[in-house]
């Protein structure tokens, strides 16, 4: 009787283990995320909203890799600074003729 119970227990444990782990090759485990940034921001054109939304940083053991996050933040900061400078230039260009026109009207 003891041997019967022992063999039955082994069979049940094996069946449960196979059910949990997966008994065959029918299920393939997904690929592990790469250790480096796979989808970097485009280098040939300015970054747009879709690029930022599509960006996925690889996860490390304790969160995101600091070097990847720093690179992305530096790139976004530089592009924002360029855009702010360009906006200032364009605003000054627009204000220049308007201010010059206002001065001419005041003199006449």
């Amino acid at each position: 009787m003891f041997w019967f119970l022992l063999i039955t227990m082994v069979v049940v444990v094996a069946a449960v283990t196979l059910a949990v782990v997966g008994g065959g090759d029918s299920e393939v485990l997904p690929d592990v995320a790469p250790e480096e940034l796979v989808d970097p921001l485009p280098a040939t054109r300015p970054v747009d909203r879709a690029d930022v939304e599509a960006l996925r940083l690889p996860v490390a053991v304790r969160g995101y890799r600091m070097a990847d996050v720093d690179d992305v933040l530096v790139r976004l900061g530089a592009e924002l600074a360029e855009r702010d400078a360009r906006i200032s230039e364009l605003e000054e260009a627009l204000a220049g003729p308007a201010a010059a026109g206002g001065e001419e009207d005041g003199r006449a």
Side-chain angles (χ1 to χ4, degrees):
M1 182 71 173
F2 172 76
W3 291 106
F4 176 73
L5 289 175
L6 183 63
I7 292 172
T8 304
M9 189 182 333
V10 169
V11 169
V12 169
V13 169
V16 170
T17 302
L18 286 176
V20 170
V21 174
D25 292 332
S26 61
E27 295 181 29
V28 178
L29 294 176
D31 292 336
V32 177
E35 294 182 12
E36 294 184 13
L37 189 59
V38 173
D39 190 16
L41 298 173
T44 58
R45 63 177 173 79
V47 176
D48 61 8
R49 181 179 179 158
D51 294 326
V52 175
E53 288 175 355
L55 180 67
R56 297 293 177 255
L57 297 171
V59 179
V61 176
R62 293 186 294 156
Y64 295 105
R65 292 183 51 189
M66 288 173 42
D68 291 337
V69 174
D70 289 345
D71 291 344
V72 169
L73 290 176
V74 167
R75 170 75 188 275
L76 291 175
E79 290 213 11
L80 287 174
E82 284 179 26
R83 288 180 186 173
D84 288 346
R86 181 68 178 148
I87 289 170
S88 299
E89 262 179 42
L90 294 172
E91 286 176 344
E92 288 175 11
L94 275 175
E103 290 176 7
E104 290 175 4
D105 291 338
R107 290 182 194 163

XYZ file of all heavy atoms in Angstrom:
797
model
N 0.809 -1.186 0.000
C 0.000 0.000 0.000
C 0.858 1.259 0.000
O 0.528 2.229 -0.675
C -0.925 -0.053 1.234
C -1.844 1.097 1.341
S -3.076 0.935 0.050
C -4.157 2.190 0.436
N 1.941 1.245 0.767
C 2.852 2.378 0.822
C 3.419 2.687 -0.559
O 3.481 3.840 -0.964
C 3.968 2.099 1.842
C 5.047 3.147 1.824
C 4.826 4.387 2.411
C 6.264 2.903 1.212
C 5.814 5.348 2.389
C 7.247 3.869 1.194
C 7.026 5.102 1.788
N 3.858 1.666 -1.281
C 4.465 1.869 -2.601
C 3.445 2.418 -3.594
O 3.767 3.259 -4.436
C 5.076 0.576 -3.128
C 6.294 0.196 -2.326
C 6.401 -0.789 -1.415
C 7.557 0.848 -2.371
N 7.644 -0.826 -0.869
C 8.393 0.191 -1.449
C 8.080 1.918 -3.061
C 9.705 0.568 -1.230
C 9.392 2.281 -2.844
C 10.184 1.622 -1.939
N 2.240 1.974 -3.495
C 1.186 2.458 -4.370
C 0.950 3.956 -4.164
O 0.863 4.732 -5.123
C -0.104 1.669 -4.137
C -1.266 2.194 -4.949
C -1.326 1.973 -6.326
C -2.274 2.916 -4.345
C -2.380 2.466 -7.065
C -3.325 3.415 -5.082
C -3.389 3.187 -6.458
N 0.883 4.380 -2.899
C 0.690 5.803 -2.597
C 1.888 6.634 -3.038
O 1.728 7.739 -3.566
C 0.432 5.993 -1.099
C -0.915 5.500 -0.576
C -0.983 5.652 0.936
C -2.047 6.255 -1.231
N 3.089 6.125 -2.863
C 4.296 6.837 -3.262
C 4.346 7.016 -4.777
O 4.619 8.120 -5.267
C 5.540 6.077 -2.764
C 6.871 6.757 -3.044
C 6.951 8.089 -2.312
C 8.010 5.853 -2.649
N 4.046 5.961 -5.522
C 4.060 6.044 -6.985
C 2.946 6.980 -7.465
O 3.152 7.794 -8.368
C 3.924 4.641 -7.612
C 5.190 3.842 -7.322
C 3.656 4.729 -9.100
C 5.087 2.383 -7.714
N 1.792 6.930 -6.855
C 0.684 7.821 -7.221
C 1.057 9.278 -6.968
O 0.797 10.165 -7.790
C -0.577 7.455 -6.425
O -0.890 6.079 -6.640
C -1.761 8.312 -6.825
N 1.700 9.552 -5.835
C 2.124 10.901 -5.515
C 3.156 11.411 -6.519
O 3.090 12.555 -6.955
C 2.696 10.978 -4.085
C 2.934 12.401 -3.660
S 3.659 12.665 -2.021
C 3.188 11.278 -1.068
N 4.097 10.584 -6.907
C 5.113 10.974 -7.890
C 4.456 11.290 -9.230
O 4.796 12.268 -9.898
C 6.194 9.872 -8.024
C 7.084 10.129 -9.217
C 7.011 9.785 -6.748
N 3.506 10.473 -9.646
C 2.807 10.705 -10.915
C 2.016 12.014 -10.863
O 2.041 12.805 -11.816
C 1.892 9.502 -11.251
C 0.964 9.820 -12.401
C 2.717 8.283 -11.560
N 1.344 12.285 -9.763
C 0.558 13.516 -9.630
C 1.478 14.738 -9.641
O 1.201 15.733 -10.325
C -0.307 13.471 -8.351
C -0.919 14.833 -8.046
C -1.394 12.424 -8.478
N 2.584 14.671 -8.902
C 3.534 15.786 -8.872
C 4.118 16.019 -10.263
O 4.252 17.159 -10.721
C 4.639 15.548 -7.822
C 5.765 16.549 -7.974
C 4.054 15.602 -6.425
N 4.455 14.968 -10.978
C 4.996 15.099 -12.332
C 3.958 15.703 -13.269
O 4.286 16.567 -14.104
C 5.462 13.742 -12.844
N 2.714 15.290 -13.167
C 1.656 15.821 -14.027
C 1.425 17.309 -13.765
O 1.284 18.107 -14.697
C 0.371 15.035 -13.829
N 1.394 17.688 -12.500
C 1.212 19.098 -12.154
C 2.399 19.915 -12.636
O 2.237 21.018 -13.182
C 0.992 19.255 -10.631
C 1.055 20.717 -10.215
C -0.332 18.637 -10.218
N 3.607 19.404 -12.474
C 4.807 20.108 -12.928
C 4.775 20.316 -14.437
O 5.075 21.403 -14.937
C 6.076 19.331 -12.529
O 6.078 19.164 -11.113
C 7.329 20.069 -12.953
N 4.423 19.282 -15.189
C 4.332 19.413 -16.643
C 3.247 20.399 -17.058
O 3.416 21.140 -18.026
C 4.082 18.049 -17.286
C 5.283 17.106 -17.334
C 4.863 15.756 -17.904
C 6.395 17.710 -18.169
N 2.149 20.402 -16.325
C 1.072 21.332 -16.653
C 1.482 22.778 -16.407
O 1.158 23.669 -17.181
C -0.175 20.992 -15.845
N 2.210 23.018 -15.330
C 2.634 24.376 -14.998
C 3.754 24.843 -15.915
O 3.718 25.953 -16.446
C 3.073 24.463 -13.516
C 3.734 25.787 -13.217
C 1.881 24.242 -12.607
N 4.757 24.021 -16.106
C 5.922 24.400 -16.903
C 5.611 24.367 -18.385
O 6.100 25.173 -19.160
C 7.121 23.483 -16.574
C 8.293 23.768 -17.480
C 7.521 23.653 -15.127
N 4.801 23.465 -18.816
C 4.507 23.292 -20.235
C 5.201 22.038 -20.714
O 6.432 21.956 -20.690
N 4.429 21.106 -21.148
C 4.981 19.804 -21.478
C 5.640 19.695 -22.825
O 6.456 18.832 -23.056
N 5.327 20.581 -23.758
C 5.870 20.413 -25.100
C 6.490 21.687 -25.618
O 6.621 22.688 -24.931
N 6.866 21.639 -26.892
C 7.456 22.798 -27.538
C 6.397 23.671 -28.198
O 6.714 24.529 -29.009
C 8.472 22.342 -28.597
C 9.685 21.684 -27.967
O 9.998 22.040 -26.825
O 10.313 20.835 -28.625
N 5.129 23.429 -27.876
C 4.057 24.193 -28.516
C 4.106 25.664 -28.118
O 3.736 26.529 -28.884
C 2.701 23.602 -28.172
O 2.500 23.664 -26.774
N 4.579 25.964 -26.931
C 4.690 27.341 -26.480
C 6.157 27.741 -26.473
O 6.975 27.090 -25.847
C 4.120 27.494 -25.080
C 2.631 27.244 -25.006
C 2.114 27.431 -23.608
O 2.694 28.236 -22.863
O 1.139 26.763 -23.257
N 6.452 28.799 -27.173
C 7.821 29.299 -27.219
C 7.892 30.531 -26.330
O 7.036 31.408 -26.394
C 8.216 29.663 -28.664
C 9.614 30.223 -28.714
C 8.075 28.448 -29.563
N 8.909 30.602 -25.506
C 9.072 31.747 -24.628
C 9.421 32.977 -25.458
O 10.135 32.891 -26.452
C 10.188 31.481 -23.621
C 9.921 30.375 -22.609
C 11.141 30.160 -21.733
C 8.727 30.712 -21.750
N 8.931 34.145 -25.076
C 9.254 35.355 -25.827
C 10.727 35.700 -25.683
O 11.382 35.341 -24.703
C 8.370 36.423 -25.185
C 8.053 35.898 -23.833
C 8.059 34.404 -23.950
N 11.236 36.425 -26.664
C 12.635 36.838 -26.623
C 12.863 37.785 -25.460
O 11.994 38.582 -25.100
C 13.030 37.538 -27.918
C 13.031 36.587 -29.095
O 13.180 35.373 -28.860
O 12.887 37.051 -30.232
N 14.036 37.704 -24.898
C 14.416 38.583 -23.799
C 14.724 39.957 -24.380
O 15.282 40.080 -25.465
C 15.652 38.016 -23.072
C 16.115 38.953 -21.978
C 15.335 36.648 -22.506
N 14.350 40.999 -23.646
C 14.621 42.359 -24.107
C 16.127 42.563 -24.238
O 16.899 42.084 -23.410
C 14.043 43.358 -23.115
N 16.545 43.236 -25.274
C 17.980 43.470 -25.453
C 18.536 44.362 -24.356
O 17.800 45.105 -23.711
C 18.055 44.157 -26.813
C 16.715 44.729 -27.019
C 15.749 43.844 -26.301
N 19.832 44.275 -24.182
C 20.478 45.050 -23.137
C 20.795 46.474 -23.586
O 21.134 47.309 -22.783
C 21.762 44.352 -22.691
C 21.507 43.023 -22.010
C 22.776 42.375 -21.537
O 23.823 43.032 -21.531
O 22.720 41.199 -21.175
N 20.708 46.748 -24.887
C 20.989 48.077 -25.397
C 19.737 48.669 -26.017
O 18.813 47.963 -26.376
C 22.107 48.013 -26.437
C 23.434 47.598 -25.840
C 24.542 47.641 -26.854
O 24.341 48.211 -27.934
O 25.604 47.109 -26.569
N 19.749 49.958 -26.153
C 18.626 50.675 -26.722
C 18.460 50.277 -28.179
O 19.339 50.471 -28.997
C 18.876 52.180 -26.605
C 17.740 53.109 -26.951
C 16.542 52.826 -26.069
C 18.178 54.536 -26.781
N 17.306 49.681 -28.503
C 17.075 49.162 -29.854
C 16.479 50.223 -30.760
O 16.832 50.330 -31.917
C 16.119 47.945 -29.788
C 15.726 47.490 -31.171
C 16.783 46.817 -29.039
N 15.558 51.015 -30.257
C 14.863 51.988 -31.084
C 15.278 53.397 -30.673
O 14.528 54.105 -30.015
C 13.353 51.788 -30.920
C 12.571 52.597 -31.918
O 13.145 53.069 -32.909
O 11.375 52.772 -31.695
N 16.477 53.818 -31.082
C 16.915 55.153 -30.665
C 16.147 56.234 -31.414
O 15.485 55.974 -32.399
C 18.396 55.162 -31.033
C 18.494 54.225 -32.183
C 17.464 53.154 -31.917
N 16.268 57.426 -30.925
C 15.645 58.554 -31.606
C 16.342 58.774 -32.943
O 17.536 58.521 -33.074
C 15.756 59.789 -30.721
C 15.051 59.676 -29.374
C 15.364 60.887 -28.516
C 13.569 59.516 -29.547
N 15.615 59.234 -33.960
C 16.214 59.395 -35.288
C 17.325 60.443 -35.279
O 17.178 61.510 -34.693
C 15.040 59.835 -36.161
C 14.051 60.397 -35.214
C 14.224 59.660 -33.926
N 18.418 60.129 -35.950
C 19.560 61.043 -35.994
C 19.498 61.980 -37.190
O 20.176 63.002 -37.209
C 20.854 60.236 -36.032
N 18.698 61.643 -38.183
C 18.693 62.417 -39.427
C 17.624 63.498 -39.481
O 17.600 64.274 -40.422
C 18.477 61.466 -40.623
O 17.248 60.763 -40.426
C 19.626 60.480 -40.718
N 16.733 63.536 -38.503
C 15.662 64.531 -38.496
C 15.311 64.871 -37.051
O 15.671 64.145 -36.129
C 14.430 63.997 -39.231
C 13.820 62.784 -38.581
C 12.556 62.333 -39.316
N 12.068 61.088 -38.795
C 11.363 60.958 -37.676
N 11.068 62.004 -36.958
N 10.958 59.772 -37.266
N 14.608 65.984 -36.860
C 14.205 66.335 -35.494
C 13.237 65.301 -34.915
O 12.483 64.662 -35.640
C 13.499 67.685 -35.666
C 13.986 68.216 -36.957
C 14.287 67.025 -37.823
N 13.273 65.182 -33.624
C 12.394 64.246 -32.920
C 10.992 64.839 -32.880
O 10.814 66.026 -32.625
C 12.905 64.019 -31.483
C 11.960 63.145 -30.702
C 14.288 63.418 -31.511
N 9.990 64.003 -33.148
C 8.616 64.471 -33.024
C 7.897 63.664 -31.946
O 8.477 62.778 -31.325
C 7.875 64.430 -34.364
C 7.788 63.029 -34.945
O 8.160 62.066 -34.262
O 7.345 62.909 -36.104
N 6.652 63.995 -31.727
C 5.894 63.363 -30.643
C 5.788 61.850 -30.819
O 5.886 61.092 -29.854
C 4.505 63.988 -30.583
C 3.655 63.422 -29.492
C 2.305 64.078 -29.452
N 1.513 63.477 -28.397
C 0.499 64.068 -27.843
N 0.142 65.263 -28.217
N -0.181 63.456 -26.894
N 5.593 61.393 -32.052
C 5.458 59.954 -32.307
C 6.739 59.208 -31.943
O 6.685 58.081 -31.453
C 5.098 59.708 -33.767
N 7.896 59.833 -32.180
C 9.169 59.199 -31.815
C 9.265 58.993 -30.311
O 9.699 57.947 -29.841
C 10.353 60.046 -32.297
C 10.439 60.122 -33.802
O 10.084 59.137 -34.473
O 10.868 61.170 -34.313
N 8.867 60.007 -29.565
C 8.942 59.912 -28.104
C 7.947 58.880 -27.583
O 8.263 58.096 -26.689
C 8.708 61.296 -27.459
C 8.662 61.184 -25.941
C 9.796 62.264 -27.883
N 6.741 58.852 -28.174
C 5.745 57.881 -27.730
C 6.144 56.449 -28.074
O 5.827 55.519 -27.342
C 4.387 58.202 -28.349
C 3.757 59.438 -27.749
C 2.473 59.840 -28.440
O 2.110 59.219 -29.459
O 1.832 60.781 -27.952
N 6.857 56.267 -29.186
C 7.263 54.922 -29.603
C 8.535 54.451 -28.911
O 8.868 53.271 -28.961
C 7.463 54.887 -31.118
N 9.233 55.351 -28.254
C 10.500 55.011 -27.615
C 10.268 54.071 -26.447
O 9.425 54.322 -25.579
C 11.190 56.290 -27.124
C 12.526 56.105 -26.433
C 13.565 55.607 -27.436
C 12.975 57.404 -25.821
N 10.985 52.972 -26.422
C 10.923 52.021 -25.316
C 12.339 51.772 -24.832
O 13.177 51.252 -25.566
C 10.293 50.698 -25.763
C 8.867 50.820 -26.204
C 7.962 51.185 -25.022
N 6.590 51.388 -25.435
C 6.018 52.577 -25.541
N 6.669 53.666 -25.281
N 4.766 52.684 -25.918
N 12.588 52.157 -23.604
C 13.910 51.973 -23.028
C 14.015 50.569 -22.448
O 13.066 50.083 -21.833
C 14.163 53.015 -21.943
C 14.162 54.470 -22.430
C 14.194 55.407 -21.247
C 15.330 54.727 -23.341
N 15.166 49.921 -22.624
C 15.320 48.577 -22.065
C 15.375 48.619 -20.542
O 15.909 49.548 -19.956
C 16.649 48.090 -22.656
C 17.364 49.312 -23.077
C 16.335 50.352 -23.383
N 14.808 47.603 -19.937
C 14.760 47.520 -18.482
C 15.948 46.716 -17.988
O 16.275 45.671 -18.537
C 13.444 46.861 -18.028
C 13.388 46.747 -16.521
C 12.262 47.655 -18.541
N 16.587 47.223 -16.963
C 17.705 46.525 -16.328
C 17.199 45.870 -15.047
O 16.004 45.883 -14.760
C 18.831 47.507 -16.039
N 18.111 45.338 -14.267
C 17.738 44.617 -13.053
C 16.966 45.503 -12.086
O 15.955 45.107 -11.541
C 18.995 44.040 -12.363
C 18.629 43.384 -11.048
C 19.673 43.054 -13.282
N 17.423 46.735 -11.897
C 16.761 47.619 -10.936
C 16.085 48.807 -11.613
O 16.072 49.899 -11.093
C 17.781 48.125 -9.921
C 18.320 47.030 -9.032
C 19.208 47.579 -7.960
N 20.403 48.162 -8.540
C 21.142 49.085 -7.960
N 20.817 49.531 -6.781
N 22.207 49.565 -8.548
N 15.553 48.628 -12.779
C 14.866 49.715 -13.479
C 15.456 49.931 -14.852
O 15.880 48.982 -15.508
N 15.498 51.175 -15.279
C 16.040 51.502 -16.600
C 17.539 51.728 -16.516
O 18.065 52.128 -15.484
C 15.365 52.752 -17.154
C 13.908 52.557 -17.431
C 12.933 53.084 -16.600
C 13.496 51.820 -18.531
C 11.588 52.889 -16.862
C 12.158 51.617 -18.801
C 11.214 52.161 -17.963
O 9.892 51.964 -18.228
N 18.220 51.487 -17.629
C 19.666 51.728 -17.674
C 19.909 53.230 -17.686
O 19.399 53.947 -18.534
C 20.266 51.082 -18.908
C 20.213 49.561 -18.824
C 20.861 48.931 -19.987
N 22.190 49.507 -20.178
C 22.941 49.281 -21.227
N 22.523 48.500 -22.177
N 24.130 49.834 -21.337
N 20.691 53.694 -16.749
C 20.910 55.126 -16.585
C 21.537 55.754 -17.826
O 21.175 56.866 -18.210
C 21.773 55.388 -15.353
C 21.026 55.136 -14.066
S 22.003 55.213 -12.546
C 23.046 56.593 -12.763
N 22.452 55.069 -18.471
C 23.124 55.629 -19.644
C 22.126 55.870 -20.779
O 22.177 56.910 -21.445
C 24.234 54.703 -20.106
N 21.208 54.942 -20.995
C 20.207 55.108 -22.048
C 19.273 56.272 -21.742
O 18.958 57.078 -22.617
C 19.390 53.827 -22.222
C 20.200 52.695 -22.815
O 21.218 52.979 -23.475
O 19.823 51.532 -22.612
N 18.835 56.368 -20.494
C 17.936 57.449 -20.106
C 18.662 58.786 -20.232
O 18.104 59.762 -20.749
C 17.416 57.239 -18.667
C 16.595 58.437 -18.205
C 16.589 55.970 -18.590
N 19.913 58.853 -19.791
C 20.685 60.088 -19.905
C 20.848 60.509 -21.358
O 20.717 61.690 -21.688
C 22.060 59.922 -19.252
C 21.979 59.836 -17.738
O 20.917 60.192 -17.178
O 22.971 59.407 -17.121
N 21.143 59.554 -22.252
C 21.298 59.875 -23.676
C 20.018 60.455 -24.257
O 20.035 61.440 -24.990
C 21.714 58.633 -24.469
C 23.118 58.171 -24.155
O 23.889 58.957 -23.564
O 23.438 57.011 -24.492
N 18.894 59.840 -23.929
C 17.606 60.322 -24.444
C 17.304 61.711 -23.899
O 16.879 62.607 -24.638
C 16.480 59.330 -24.101
C 15.122 59.928 -24.381
C 16.658 58.044 -24.879
N 17.528 61.932 -22.606
C 17.241 63.234 -22.021
C 18.151 64.326 -22.577
O 17.701 65.449 -22.815
C 17.359 63.160 -20.494
C 16.265 62.358 -19.797
C 16.543 62.271 -18.300
C 14.899 62.947 -20.061
N 19.414 64.008 -22.813
C 20.332 64.981 -23.414
C 19.872 65.343 -24.819
O 19.842 66.513 -25.199
C 21.777 64.434 -23.412
C 22.679 65.259 -24.309
C 22.322 64.404 -22.004
N 19.501 64.340 -25.589
C 19.041 64.588 -26.968
C 17.771 65.430 -26.978
O 17.652 66.400 -27.734
C 18.802 63.252 -27.668
C 18.111 63.332 -29.004
C 19.047 63.830 -30.096
N 18.352 64.093 -31.325
C 18.077 63.199 -32.256
N 18.465 61.950 -32.103
N 17.444 63.543 -33.355
N 16.802 65.085 -26.132
C 15.560 65.853 -26.083
C 15.811 67.279 -25.583
O 15.223 68.229 -26.100
C 14.535 65.155 -25.195
C 13.972 63.842 -25.743
C 13.067 63.189 -24.711
C 13.225 64.063 -27.035
N 16.695 67.433 -24.605
C 17.022 68.768 -24.106
C 17.671 69.632 -25.174
O 17.340 70.817 -25.317
N 18.580 69.051 -25.951
C 19.241 69.793 -27.021
C 18.238 70.211 -28.095
O 18.272 71.341 -28.587
C 20.351 68.947 -27.629
N 17.345 69.309 -28.454
C 16.355 69.650 -29.478
C 15.380 70.711 -28.979
O 14.986 71.592 -29.740
C 15.621 68.398 -29.942
C 16.516 67.509 -30.746
C 15.786 66.756 -31.829
O 14.607 67.071 -32.112
O 16.396 65.856 -32.390
N 14.999 70.646 -27.703
C 14.119 71.678 -27.158
C 14.821 73.034 -27.137
O 14.210 74.065 -27.442
C 13.648 71.297 -25.755
C 12.612 70.184 -25.688
C 12.349 69.797 -24.241
C 11.314 70.599 -26.363
N 16.103 73.049 -26.806
C 16.862 74.302 -26.811
C 16.960 74.879 -28.226
O 16.803 76.095 -28.420
C 18.254 74.070 -26.237
N 17.183 74.016 -29.221
C 17.232 74.477 -30.613
C 15.882 75.050 -31.029
O 15.819 76.095 -31.695
C 17.591 73.322 -31.544
C 19.036 72.933 -31.523
C 19.325 71.762 -32.457
O 18.574 71.572 -33.446
O 20.305 71.047 -32.191
N 14.807 74.377 -30.678
C 13.482 74.867 -31.057
C 13.160 76.188 -30.363
O 12.585 77.086 -30.964
C 12.419 73.826 -30.729
C 12.481 72.654 -31.661
C 11.434 71.624 -31.360
N 11.650 70.459 -32.221
C 10.994 69.343 -32.130
N 10.057 69.203 -31.214
N 11.237 68.343 -32.942
N 13.531 76.315 -29.085
C 13.295 77.571 -28.370
C 14.067 78.713 -29.017
O 13.545 79.820 -29.162
C 13.690 77.436 -26.894
C 12.720 76.566 -26.112
O 11.614 76.289 -26.624
O 13.082 76.152 -24.987
N 15.308 78.447 -29.413
C 16.117 79.474 -30.077
C 15.495 79.865 -31.414
O 15.418 81.051 -31.763
C 17.546 78.980 -30.279
N 15.017 78.883 -32.159
C 14.389 79.161 -33.460
C 13.089 79.943 -33.280
O 12.805 80.878 -34.038
C 14.125 77.841 -34.191
C 13.510 77.991 -35.535
C 14.462 78.623 -36.515
N 13.822 78.704 -37.814
C 14.038 79.652 -38.683
N 14.916 80.585 -38.418
N 13.414 79.655 -39.834
N 12.310 79.606 -32.263
C 11.072 80.338 -31.985
C 11.396 81.785 -31.631
O 10.731 82.719 -32.104
C 10.262 79.642 -30.869
C 9.666 78.342 -31.397
C 9.172 80.558 -30.321
C 9.046 77.464 -30.325
N 12.426 81.995 -30.812
C 12.833 83.364 -30.457
C 13.256 84.143 -31.688
O 12.892 85.322 -31.848
C 13.995 83.339 -29.458
O 13.611 82.704 -28.282
N 14.033 83.501 -32.569
C 14.455 84.139 -33.816
C 13.256 84.569 -34.643
O 13.197 85.701 -35.148
C 15.271 83.153 -34.660
C 16.744 83.275 -34.575
C 17.415 82.223 -35.454
O 16.957 81.977 -36.587
O 18.405 81.659 -34.993
N 12.309 83.668 -34.817
C 11.136 83.964 -35.634
C 10.263 85.046 -35.006
O 9.722 85.905 -35.713
C 10.328 82.688 -35.877
C 11.018 81.619 -36.718
C 10.194 80.335 -36.731
C 11.253 82.110 -38.140
N 10.127 85.026 -33.676
C 9.352 86.064 -33.009
C 10.011 87.422 -33.160
O 9.342 88.440 -33.376
C 9.160 85.720 -31.533
C 8.150 84.619 -31.299
C 8.037 84.214 -29.836
O 8.929 84.557 -29.026
O 7.043 83.550 -29.500
N 11.349 87.465 -33.062
C 12.069 88.722 -33.255
C 11.939 89.202 -34.691
O 11.794 90.402 -34.944
C 13.536 88.559 -32.877
C 13.769 88.429 -31.391
C 15.231 88.144 -31.050
O 16.091 88.251 -31.947
O 15.497 87.809 -29.893
N 11.991 88.269 -35.639
C 11.842 88.642 -37.050
C 10.446 89.209 -37.313
O 10.284 90.153 -38.092
C 12.112 87.448 -37.948
N 9.435 88.629 -36.672
C 8.074 89.151 -36.829
C 7.900 90.491 -36.130
O 7.238 91.390 -36.637
C 7.064 88.155 -36.252
C 6.598 87.041 -37.169
C 5.699 86.083 -36.404
C 5.863 87.593 -38.367
N 8.480 90.621 -34.958
C 8.352 91.855 -34.200
C 9.173 92.979 -34.819
O 8.813 94.146 -34.707
C 8.782 91.638 -32.751
N 10.261 92.640 -35.513
C 11.129 93.659 -36.121
C 10.398 94.542 -37.107
O 10.356 95.763 -36.941
N 9.784 93.995 -38.146
C 9.072 94.855 -39.104
C 7.878 95.564 -38.465
O 7.579 96.702 -38.796
C 8.583 93.880 -40.178
C 9.483 92.702 -40.078
C 9.883 92.633 -38.644
N 7.194 94.917 -37.544
C 6.053 95.554 -36.889
C 6.521 96.721 -36.042
O 5.901 97.788 -36.030
C 5.307 94.537 -36.034
N 7.633 96.544 -35.326
C 8.170 97.622 -34.501
C 8.697 98.747 -35.378
O 8.500 99.918 -35.087
C 9.275 97.093 -33.591
N 9.352 98.419 -36.480
C 9.867 99.430 -37.402
C 8.705 100.169 -38.052
O 8.755 101.397 -38.229
C 10.738 98.781 -38.466
N 7.645 99.484 -38.378
C 6.477 100.123 -38.968
C 5.800 101.052 -37.983
O 5.318 102.122 -38.329
N 5.757 100.658 -36.735
C 5.153 101.498 -35.690
C 5.963 102.758 -35.459
O 5.417 103.834 -35.235
N 7.291 102.672 -35.536
C 8.147 103.841 -35.352
C 7.977 104.807 -36.512
O 7.968 106.019 -36.320
C 9.614 103.413 -35.230
C 9.916 102.683 -33.930
C 11.350 102.177 -33.891
O 12.128 102.496 -34.796
O 11.679 101.453 -32.942
N 7.860 104.285 -37.708
C 7.696 105.147 -38.874
C 6.373 105.895 -38.804
O 6.275 107.061 -39.150
C 7.780 104.339 -40.167
C 9.161 103.810 -40.455
C 9.221 102.916 -41.681
O 8.181 102.769 -42.358
O 10.268 102.340 -41.951
N 5.315 105.194 -38.321
C 4.023 105.838 -38.207
C 4.068 106.947 -37.144
O 3.427 107.957 -37.296
C 2.935 104.830 -37.831
C 2.648 103.854 -38.981
O 2.959 104.225 -40.138
O 2.140 102.758 -38.706
N 4.823 106.706 -36.102
C 4.914 107.700 -35.025
C 5.652 108.944 -35.460
O 5.392 110.041 -34.982
N 6.605 108.834 -36.361
C 7.394 109.981 -36.813
C 6.600 110.833 -37.810
O 6.815 112.012 -37.917
C 8.675 109.517 -37.488
C 9.652 108.911 -36.522
C 10.907 108.523 -37.257
N 11.725 107.654 -36.432
C 12.684 106.910 -36.883
N 12.978 106.886 -38.161
N 13.376 106.179 -36.071
N 5.734 110.192 -38.556
C 5.072 110.912 -39.636
C 3.938 111.761 -39.190
O 3.410 111.907 -38.240
C 4.543 109.942 -40.688
